[in-house]
Amino acid sequence: MPSPRKVRLQMSYPKGPANPKGPASWAALLAAALAIVPVLTGCSGAADTRPPGSTGASATPATAATPTWAPVTGPPRTVPAVRAFRPADGRGWRPSEGARVVVPAGARSTVADEARLLAKDLGGLPVVWGKKAVRPGDVEVKLTGGAAAGRPDNAPARSTADESYTLTARNTRLTLTAPTDAGVFYGTRTVKQAVRAAGGLPEGTIQDRPDRPRRGMLLDNARKPFSAAWIEARIRELGDLKLNQLQLHFSDDQGFRIQSDTHPEIVSEDHLTKNQVRHLVNLARSRHISVIPEIDSPGHLGAVLEHYPDLQLRTAQGSTVRGAIDISKPKAGELVDSLLREYAALFTNPKGTAAYWHLGGDEYQALMSSDPETKYPQLAQAAREKYGPGGSIEDLATGWLNDREKTVRAAGKNRIEAWNDGFFADGEVQADKDRIADYWTGKETGARDPAAYLREGRQVMNFNDEYLYYVLGEPNQFTYPTGQRIYRSWTPRVLRGTEPVSVPQGQTGPDRIPGARFAIWCDLADSQTPQQIAAGIRLPLAALAQKTWDPRQPAMSWADFKALANRV
C-alpha cells in the first residue's frame, strides 16, 4: 500500500452536461467505446480460452499491436465513489478489440467466476487462463498475498481488508489485484461502472475499500410476496453497488413465504420454493452477499399461529392478541425451534465464515401494554416461577430470545441479531452479550437511546427509520425516504433521528457500528407494485452504498451523483 502522502483522496469530479435522453443502453455504450478504437494490426482477435494443459495450437499471436484511443480523462466515476485515486500521465484503459481477461491463477481459482463475470460485463471478452503474457489492452486479474489461502470460493468478507482492491491502468493495460475474491469482485464492479460512465478508466492507480463491513437491504416478503425473479434482480443490483447483505423477513402476521417440510400448513399460497431459495442464496454468494433469514418471534407470528390457536397469547379476559405467541407455554418454544432448525439448514453458509440469523424480537404486544402483569397474568406467573420473585415479563421475553439463540447457534449460526426493542435493561435476565442490536426506532414505550447499547459494548446495526425505512403506503407518519436526504445528511453514526449518536467517536467506528441496511416494509402491501418499489428504492440504495462505503461528505453534488447513478 502506498503511504498516505502518495495517495491523493479523490473528492472532486468533472462536471458536464447531463444526457438529455437519459442513460444509453450498455450495448450502445460498449459499441461507442469500441468504435473509437481502430482495428489492431497484427492481431486476429482470437484468444486462448482453453484451460492450462490443453492441446492444440492457439490462433492468437504472442504479441499484439498497442491499441490507440482517445484518453480517458478525469477521475473514475463510480457509485460508490472510489476512496483514493493517484493519477498518472497516459491514455488510460478502454475495452478494445482483441482485449482479453487474463487470470494467471487458472480456471479453477477462486477468482475464476469474478473474471468470467467481468468478461461478460465488458461485452463478452475472451478469458485466458494460466500464466500467459499480458498484452496491450488486456485486463489481468490476480490475488495477492496469503489472505485468501484456505478460504472457500465466494466466502463472505471477514473485514473491510478482505474487500479492498487495487486497479492500475498503465500503458494500455489494466491490472486488478486484491487479497481475496471479494476484493476482486468489487474491483470488477468499479471497472464495469467506469466503462459505462466514461468509456474506461483513466491512467493511474485506484486503491479502494469500504468504511463499514456490513451494507445492505431488508426485504419484507412476508406481508407482500415477491417473485424469485424480482429478488434475483435486486441481488444483482446490490452486488453492483458493492452492498453485501440481504435480509429476508419472510414470516409475519400476513404470510409465511417459504416452503416448509415440517409445517406445510403454515405456508402461504404465494411463496418461494426451497429450490428457489437455494438458487437465490447461491446467486447472492457469487456476488459476495450474505442472505440473512428472519423468523420474527415472539410477536409477528400470525401466519403460523393461525394454525396453532392454542399457542396464541390471550389476555386475562380471554381475548386473543394477533401475532403474539404465549411464551409461558413450553410447546410455543418447541414450535418455533422446529422452524428455526428447518430454515437454518436451508440458508447455508461456507464453513468458517460469518453465518447470520435474525431473531426478530420487536413489538411483542404483551410488552406494549401499560400494565402487562395485570393484562397477561399467565406471563407474569411464568416469569416469577422461572426467575424468582423479581422476575418480569421482560425477563421472560429476554429468556425466550436467549433460548431461540441457543437453537440457531446449535444449527451453526454465529452472528445473531435482534431488533432494538427486544433488548431490556436492568432485569433479572440479560440478552446474550454477543447479540447485535438492530436499531430502528426510538418511539416505542420505554425506548432507550442507541448510546445505551454502545455503552453496553454491543455492536449496533443502523436501520434508522428516519432515513432508511421504505414503508409501503406511508402509514404511521412514515414518508418514503429519498436518496437525496440520505446522501446529504445521513451517516452510519446517525442511529436515531437526525443527529449522530451521543457517545465518544471511538464507540462509533466500524467495529461498533458495522454498517446499515435499507428496509422495505410492506405494511400496506397493495400501495405499490414490485416495479414501483424497484424504482423507488434505486436512488436510496445508491446513496446508502455511497455513505457506508465512505461516510465523509461527498464531493459530488446530489444532481451529479443522481445523474451518475442513473447512468451506471
Side-chain angles (χ1 to χ4, degrees), residues 5-20:
R5 294 189 300 276
K6 295 182 180 179
V7 178
R8 179 166 62 87
L9 290 176
Q10 188 60 48
M11 298 300 291
S12 62
Y13 295 82
K15 293 181 173 61
N19 180 357

Side-chain angles (χ1 to χ4, degrees), residues 337 340-341 359 386-387 399-413 416 432 435:
D337 282 347
L340 297 178
R341 284 189 286 266
L359 295 172
K386 190 169 185 178
Y387 300 113
W400 167 274
L401 286 184
N402 287 348
D403 288 344
R404 307 293 76 77
E405 178 164 346
K406 290 175 184 176
T407 298
V408 295
R409 284 191 179 275
K413 305 305 176 184
I416 314 303
D432 185 279
R435 189 177 308 156

Side-chain angles (χ1 to χ4, degrees), residues 119 312 426 501 514 516:
Q312 194 160 9
D426 304 324
V501 61

Side-chain angles (χ1 to χ4, degrees), residues 469-492:
Y469 258 41
Y470 193 96
V471 184
L472 294 196
E474 301 182 309
N476 302 320
Q477 299 181 320
F478 282 109
T479 58
Y480 292 125
T482 66
Q484 180 176 7
R485 192 158 179 251
I486 295 169
Y487 187 77
R488 286 182 170 174
S489 59
W490 176 86
T491 75

Side-chain angles (χ1 to χ4, degrees), residues 218 222-223 247-253 256 293-305 323-325 336 339-340 357-364 400-401 404 417-419 421-422 440 521:
L218 174 150
R223 294 180 177 96
Q247 180 177 337
L248 290 179
H249 176 92
F250 64 90
S251 169
D252 211 303
D253 297 344
F256 192 99
E294 180 191 355
I295 296 179
D296 203 345
S297 78
H300 294 283
L301 278 170
V304 174
L305 293 174
I325 200 167
V336 173
L339 292 171
L340 297 178
W357 191 274
H358 202 292
L359 295 172
D362 64 311
E363 297 181 322
Y364 187 47
W400 167 274
L401 286 184
R404 307 293 76 77
E417 302 181 13
W419 298 111
D421 48 331
W440 69 280
W521 293 106

Side-chain angles (χ1 to χ4, degrees), residues 32 35 45 67 118 125 167 222 306 312 317 387 400 427 461 500 554:
L118 177 62
L125 297 186
L167 272 166
E306 182 180 344
Q312 194 160 9
Q317 291 73 36
Y387 300 113
W400 167 274
M461 277 292 288

Side-chain angles (χ1 to χ4, degrees), residues 113 117 136 179 184 211 225 252 312 364 379 392 417 419 437 512 536 540 546:
D113 50 349
L117 180 61
V184 167
D211 178 71
D252 211 303
Q312 194 160 9
Y364 187 47
L379 298 183
S392 67
E417 302 181 13
W419 298 111
R512 302 301 307 282
Q546 175 61 46

Side-chain angles (χ1 to χ4, degrees), residues 38 105 178 190 201 209 233 244 564:
T190 292
L201 286 154
R209 65 186 292 173
N244 63 5
L564 179 61

